[in-house]
Amino acid sequence: MAIIYATLIVKGKKSYVEVPEKIKSQVKQVLIDLECEDLIEE
């Protein structure tokens, strides 16, 4: 699920603040791995 959210964030369909709290850390790590840290906005 984290990869799906990360993909949606990269494509501009969702933002990091819309990610459910229980998977936020996983999504954050996926975005870091993809070198898209700039999309992590709390």
Side-chain angles (χ1 to χ4, degrees):
M1 191 59 113
I3 294 172
I4 294 169
Y5 267 99
T7 302
L8 291 172
I9 292 168
V10 169
K11 289 185 173 195
K13 305 284 184 188
K14 292 259 182 210
S15 66
Y16 185 71
V17 295
E18 296 177 85
V19 177
E21 280 299 319
K22 62 182 180 179
I23 64 166
K24 259 191 177 176
S25 63
Q26 296 169 338
V27 173
K28 185 176 186 175
Q29 188 58 52
V30 172
L31 289 170
I32 290 169
D33 292 344
L34 293 172
E35 298 179 358
C36 295
E37 299 88 3
D38 55 313
L39 299 174
I40 303 169
E41 299 169 1
E42 303 256 354

